[in-house]
Structure formats: structure tokens, C-alpha cells
Amino acid sequence: QLQLQESGPGLVKPSETLSLTCTVSGGSISTNNYYWGWIRQPPGKGLEWIGMKYYSGSTYYNPSLKSRVTISVDMSKSQFSLNLKSVTAADTAVYYCVRNWGLATAGGLNWFDPWGQGTLVTVSS
Amino acid sequence: DIQMTQSPSSLSASVGDRVTITCRASQSISRYLNWYQQKPGKAPKLLIYAASSLQSGVPSRFSGSGSGTDFTLTISSLQPEDFATYYCQQSYSTEEFTFGPGTKVDMK
């Protein structure tokens, strides 16, 4: 069974870069059918999609974050990463890594499953 | 971008009740609609994908319906473990995947 696990600093200073890694176990990150992505949830609020990347290149980013976000995939380590630069307090959230099933199959019906357990990142000096 | 709304924002119900949650998209999204359940302190869990397909392992008391702009999630007989927040999510626009604001189901 595929499992995802986020890791990274829990505290980031304003204006710095937030960097998180998601380790994939129980399956291959280079499987044709999947995109790998990130979703966040500010404390007490709803879910916001950040973006996602296919192992071989295609990338989709939330337009509201696009100028600050980079998602990369490291197949050799079965990991994918999120970099969010120039963070502010508004970026404080629980960050989830996710697998998107379906989009890679000719742009078909798609959904997020599974999800990592999430990691809280606080932006504060 | 496609906006998602949910109603109600919260509801109180008892074990055994039939519960219906509505999700509406600001434009037609065909069947590109998914439902997730989130319990406090936990990651969301996929319940229903493609508007009406039950994810493996999810109890059959959960069902989804709809297409176009209007969708519903129904819990046929609410169980104690179903008290949670439910989110719909459109996967039609690859420009921006968006979630509804959530519906919190708590105990009456």
C-alpha cells in the first residue's frame, strides 16, 4: 500500500524559503499514471491546492502561488519536494503531500489519494 | 477559476440519521467532482471520486450523485465515526483544483 510522509522544518522565518520533502514508500514514483503534489490547510481553515508534477516533467501550479512555488521530483530517492519562497505569516499551514490519480491518463477524471499525514509549518520570526 | 460552494456549512445529526450535503460548482464540471472526509488532526480521506464512485474500503452507506454543477453526498445512516468535516473538490480545471469550504457534521 502506497504511503506518503512529509518532512521538513516546522518553523520558517518570514521572507525565507519553505522547503518540504515527501517520501514515497510502497510504490514507484515513476509510475505512468500519477502526478505528485501538495495541498495546504491554514489552522482552522479549508484546503488549498498548491500544485503538482509528473515524474517526467509536466507541472501545474495554483495561479495565486505560481510565482513562488517549485515542485520537483527525485526518482532516485522516491521523493518529491516543495519549495515556497518569500513566505509570510499567511503561509502558516499544515502541508500535505498527495498523489493525483487519473490526470496523467489522457487528462481524465482524477482525484487525490492517498494523502500524507501532514506537517505543520509556522512562519514566524 | 471555478468556485465551489457547499451547503450547509454545518449540521447537527444523530446516529442513524440520513445526511445529505450539497456541493455546487460555478460552472459545469461534468463528473469531475470528489468528496473527502476529514477528522480533527487527521489528513483528508477520499470517499467518493468521479461524482459517484465509492473509493475502495469506504462503507456503502456513503454515496455520491450529480453532474454538471450540482452534486450531493449522502450518508444513509450516520454512524459515530462519521462525525467529521466533508469537502468537495473539483478536478475539471487543471488551471486550479479547488475545494469547497467544507461541511462540519457534529452530534445533535
Side-chain angles (χ1 to χ4, degrees), chain A residues 15-90:
Chain A
S15 79
E16 295 189 345
T17 296
L18 180 160
S19 295
L20 295 174
T21 296
C22 182
T23 300
V24 179
S25 59
S28 172
I29 202 169
S30 59
T31 304
N32 289 340
N33 291 333
Y34 309 127
Y35 276 73
W36 305 94
W38 295 89
I39 291 168
R40 70 180 182 179
Q41 184 173 36
K45 296 188 178 181
L47 298 161
E48 180 181 34
W49 172 74
I50 298 171
M52 57 195 192
K53 185 176 179 67
Y54 193 56
Y55 77 96
S56 63
S58 298
T59 306
Y60 296 100
Y61 293 133
N62 187 320
S64 68
L65 299 170
K66 189 173 185 176
S67 63
R68 300 194 291 131
V69 172
T70 303
I71 296 174
S72 57
V73 175
D74 186 336
M75 288 183 282
S76 68
K77 295 182 179 179
S78 287
Q79 294 178 333
F80 60 101
S81 299
L82 169 69
N83 277 354
L84 179 67
K85 63 182 182 182
S86 305
V87 297
T88 70

Side-chain angles (χ1 to χ4, degrees), chain A residues 39 41 45-50 52 60-64 66 96 100 103 106-118, chain B residues 29-34 36 38 41-46 48-50 55 87 89 91-101:
Chain A
I39 291 168
Q41 184 173 36
K45 296 188 178 181
L47 298 161
E48 180 181 34
W49 172 74
I50 298 171
M52 57 195 192
Y60 296 100
Y61 293 133
N62 187 320
S64 68
K66 189 173 185 176
Y96 297 100
N100 178 283
L103 185 63
L109 294 160
N110 66 92
W111 50 90
F112 296 114
D113 180 72
W115 296 55
Q117 66 182 25
Chain B
I29 57 171
S30 184
R31 295 186 298 117
Y32 288 70
L33 191 284
N34 309 310
Y36 302 87
Q38 186 178 33
K42 300 294 187 181
K45 169 189 169 183
L46 178 68
I48 302 286
Y49 62 92
Q55 172 67 347
Y87 293 94
Q89 175 245 330
S91 60
Y92 180 84
S93 170
T94 55
E95 294 298 314
E96 184 176 3
F97 294 98
T98 47
F99 291 85

